[in-house]
């Protein structure tokens, strides 16, 4: 199995994403190569000690696609330093009502 895609492909090879709980009081920012699988892992809450399990961050409210995983990691680290208000503004630009973007993923 090849973990890195060709530089010529248009498929994203990295995602930065934001999950939140139902009441939208907590945000979790992460990076992954496979967004669909990663969101499901958060929802399954197999690791009860994880941040997303502890705070019940099960709703995907934002994501960005990247063709380079290193740039995705840099973006994740940058967003993590932002004030909460800036993070909310970022989400609201694409998803004003904080809908769960993965609600229909099965």
């Amino acid at each position: 199995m090849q973990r890195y895609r060709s530089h010529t492909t248009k498929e994203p090879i990295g995602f930065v994403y934001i999950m939140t709980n139902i009441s939208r009081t907590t945000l979790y920012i992460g990076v992954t190569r496979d967004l669909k699988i990663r969101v499901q892992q958060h929802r399954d809450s197999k690791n009860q000690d994880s941040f997303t399990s502890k705070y019940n961050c099960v709703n995907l409210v934002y994501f960005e696609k990247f063709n380079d995983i290193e740039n995705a990691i840099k973006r994740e680290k940058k967003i993590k330093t932002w004030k909460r208000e800036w993070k909310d503004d970022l989400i609201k630009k694409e998803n004003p009502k904080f809908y769960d973007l993965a609600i229909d993923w099965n």
Side-chain angles (χ1 to χ4, degrees):
M1 180 172 125
Q2 187 177 2
R3 293 189 55 102
Y4 296 94
R5 293 190 182 103
S6 162
H7 291 301
T8 61
T9 184
K10 298 219 188 262
E11 283 186 64
I13 60 167
F15 297 87
V16 172
Y17 64 97
I18 301 177
M19 306 279 294
T20 191
N21 55 359
I22 292 170
S23 60
R24 303 180 192 143
T25 57
T26 304
L27 297 178
Y28 174 81
I29 299 154
V31 66
T32 186
R33 291 186 185 278
D34 192 322
L35 186 59
K36 191 171 185 178
I37 289 173
R38 189 67 181 120
V39 168
Q40 190 59 52
Q41 289 171 339
H42 287 302
R43 291 181 174 173
D44 290 344
S45 298
K46 290 184 179 177
N47 180 358
Q48 295 298 314
D49 295 328
S50 71
F51 182 91
T52 53
S53 181
K54 182 177 178 182
Y55 293 99
N56 200 30
C57 295
V58 295
N59 294 335
L60 176 68
V61 292
Y62 181 83
F63 66 91
E64 294 178 22
K65 300 174 189 178
F66 291 85
N67 291 325
D68 181 313
I69 195 66
E70 287 80 18
N71 286 335
I73 292 167
K74 288 177 188 175
R75 178 70 167 160
E76 176 207 23
K77 289 180 180 184
K78 183 176 182 179
I79 293 171
K80 283 184 173 184
T81 67
W82 291 3
K83 297 176 186 179
R84 171 62 191 253
E85 179 183 0
W86 299 352
K87 295 172 191 174
D88 286 345
D89 289 344
L90 179 68
I91 296 165
K92 287 176 186 174
K93 283 182 193 174
E94 299 294 324
N95 186 4
K97 300 205 179 205
F98 280 62
Y99 289 132
D100 182 2
L101 301 174
I103 193 77
D104 295 329
W105 296 3
N106 289 330

